[in-house]
Amino acid sequence: MILQERCLSAMNRQNRTPNDAEGIRVYQNLWKNLLLGICSLLFAIMGIFIIADDNCRMVTKIIGGWLGSIFFGVGGLAICIMSLYNYLRRIPYLVIYKDRIEVYVQFKASYDTVYFKDVQKFRLITIGASKQIAIDYRPSYIVQRMKSHTTSNFIQKIMRFNLNKTGAIESILASNLSMKRTDILRILNEHIRMT
């Protein structure tokens, strides 16, 4: 009996289309992220040369040398390690289902879920050099989220700042992904229209 249930379950998994329960998986681009990490490590090495230079003033050694080496060294190593970890474990950054999108949060090692029923539309935005997909939530959801007891004062201030700066309380980073951001945007907006 248990064997029959397992066989049926395995057959059902094989017959599913990618849009069923599996979803569309979008991964981070390993090579672009490693290049970014290596560039950060090069800045850290330049900071070490500043520290070793006897002709530099103490302020330059502290700010350009020590702080630069620590900031870019730790940041570069973190980017390289997290990118390799996600690549080896095959952890997708985005998983798009019929009713929701899940965005991987590295430091929580879990996914944040955005339900399409709470979203009016998705749109492309650029903040500096960062390309992102803004999530335009329905006004009722924004009010509910702001008044929620699980949303801290700090997060509320960040959401207000984002709302004033970009017109959305949240966005999805769309740089260095395995799929073009315009394709991701098109898929997300199609899923909203279907719900």
Side-chain angles (χ1 to χ4, degrees), residues 57-157:
R57 296 184 336 202
M58 185 56 81
V59 173
T60 306
K61 284 189 178 198
I62 291 172
I63 294 173
W66 287 104
L67 293 178
S69 294
I70 292 169
F71 178 76
F72 287 108
V74 171
L77 281 175
I79 289 171
C80 290
I81 290 170
M82 286 187 283
S83 297
L84 286 171
Y85 177 81
N86 291 342
Y87 177 76
L88 294 174
R89 301 284 310 257
R90 298 297 298 157
I91 299 172
Y93 176 65
L94 300 173
V95 184
I96 304 169
Y97 296 99
K98 288 183 179 181
D99 63 336
R100 67 190 184 281
I101 180 171
E102 293 183 349
V103 182
Y104 188 70
V105 180
Q106 187 72 50
F107 296 106
K108 292 187 338 186
S110 65
Y111 287 90
D112 281 347
T113 303
V114 176
Y115 290 96
F116 294 135
K117 66 181 171 80
D118 298 327
V119 178
Q120 286 180 329
K121 68 177 179 174
F122 294 92
R123 60 187 165 84
L124 293 176
I125 60 171
T126 303
I127 301 174
S130 174
K131 296 176 174 131
Q132 301 181 14
I133 297 173
I135 306 169
D136 289 335
Y137 285 106
R138 298 187 187 285
S140 59
Y141 180 78
I142 294 173
V143 170
Q144 172 191 347
R145 184 95 179 265
M146 289 289 204
K147 291 182 179 179
S148 173
H149 70 280
T150 59
T151 306
S152 68
N153 287 337
F154 179 69
I155 297 296
Q156 286 178 2
K157 287 178 183 176

Side-chain angles (χ1 to χ4, degrees), residues 142-180:
I142 294 173
V143 170
Q144 172 191 347
R145 184 95 179 265
M146 289 289 204
K147 291 182 179 179
S148 173
H149 70 280
T150 59
T151 306
S152 68
N153 287 337
F154 179 69
I155 297 296
Q156 286 178 2
K157 287 178 183 176
I158 290 175
M159 288 193 293
R160 280 191 205 100
F161 175 79
N162 287 343
L163 193 59
N164 291 334
K165 185 83 171 161
T166 65
I169 61 171
E170 287 182 331
S171 61
I172 302 168
L173 187 64
S175 301
N176 299 345
L177 298 178
S178 62
M179 185 185 288
K180 291 181 184 177

Side-chain angles (χ1 to χ4, degrees), residues 19-37:
N19 289 336
D20 287 351
E22 297 298 318
I24 300 169
R25 297 175 183 275
V26 180
Y27 295 90
Q28 293 176 336
N29 188 317
L30 174 68
W31 301 111
K32 286 183 182 178
N33 283 348
L34 285 180
L35 180 64
L36 182 64

